[in-house]
Amino acid sequence: MKLRLIDPESLIPDAHVAAEAAVRGVEALIIEHLRKKNDGTKPNRYGLPKTNYYADAAKNVEASVDGATIRVEIDHPGLAMHYEGGTVYPKKKALALPIDPAVAGIWPSEYSRDHQLFKTPGGALGDADTGKILYILLPKATIPADPSVLPTDTEIFGAVEEALMEAVS
């Protein structure tokens, strides 16, 4: 025996309506995920203060629907590199990685406007007045892939399901 209680097409009249509901759910999930990943209470992996990188990425989430297709884009520098991993090469001579909280988020060129920097033979930049090493210089940096940058497929499908259930209720 087969029971037909509800005609699914009567719940959501067309694929575009379903996609509109789904895209809202996925967009909200990704924004919340990036905000949580930011967690401003802990320092970053180098022990330096947070720059709110992931919170800024959350502000750049844009979702759209084209027919029955949903698209979510995050226009934020380096986010794909963090997700997929890869190697970063310098635009000029070397990458400068801050190792002192006083210069976190400050380019050496900005810092050197008010302070004299010196370069060590080992490849670091320091403050000439204090002698303190502020940056290490690298020829390249390899960033490991981090799939936790975005929600898992299971979480995304869950958000779509929840959004569709809300749309029909």
Side-chain angles (χ1 to χ4, degrees):
M1 170 164 68
K2 293 183 181 178
L3 293 176
R4 185 171 178 175
L5 300 175
I6 299 173
D7 179 4
E9 289 180 6
S10 69
L11 294 176
I12 300 179
D14 65 34
H16 182 75
V17 172
E20 284 285 348
V23 78
R24 286 191 302 274
V26 173
E27 181 181 37
L29 171 70
I30 292 173
I31 289 170
E32 183 61 26
H33 180 86
L34 290 169
R35 286 179 179 158
K36 283 181 182 174
K37 187 158 179 67
N38 194 73
D39 187 10
T41 62
K42 297 185 286 188
N44 69 16
R45 65 181 168 194
Y46 303 110
L48 299 173
K50 290 275 190 177
T51 60
N52 295 313
Y53 178 80
Y54 290 106
D56 289 343
K59 294 175 189 172
N60 293 309
V61 174
E62 291 188 21
S64 61
V65 174
D66 182 13
T69 303
I70 68 171
R71 175 180 305 229
V72 179
E73 296 180 13
I74 309 168
D75 185 18
H76 195 67
L79 193 67
M81 178 70 78
H82 286 284
Y83 181 72
E84 297 170 358
T87 302
V88 179
Y89 296 94
K91 290 181 181 176
K92 295 184 181 178
K93 296 178 183 178
L95 298 171
L97 181 67
I99 58 171
D100 187 296
V103 294
I106 301 172
W107 296 97
S109 58
E110 290 178 58
Y111 188 83
S112 65
R113 289 182 197 147
D114 300 323
H115 303 83
Q116 183 71 29
L117 290 173
F118 69 91
K119 185 176 176 183
T120 69
L125 292 176
D127 187 310
D129 293 333
T130 65
K132 191 172 189 179
I133 301 298
L134 304 173
Y135 302 91
I136 56 172
L137 301 175
L138 303 171
K140 64 182 179 179
T142 301
I143 298 174
D146 181 4
S148 75
V149 166
L150 294 175
T152 65
D153 288 347
T154 302
E155 291 170 317
I156 291 171
F157 290 130
V160 169
E161 183 179 18
E162 188 177 318
L164 291 174
M165 294 301 286
E166 271 185 38
V168 298
S169 59

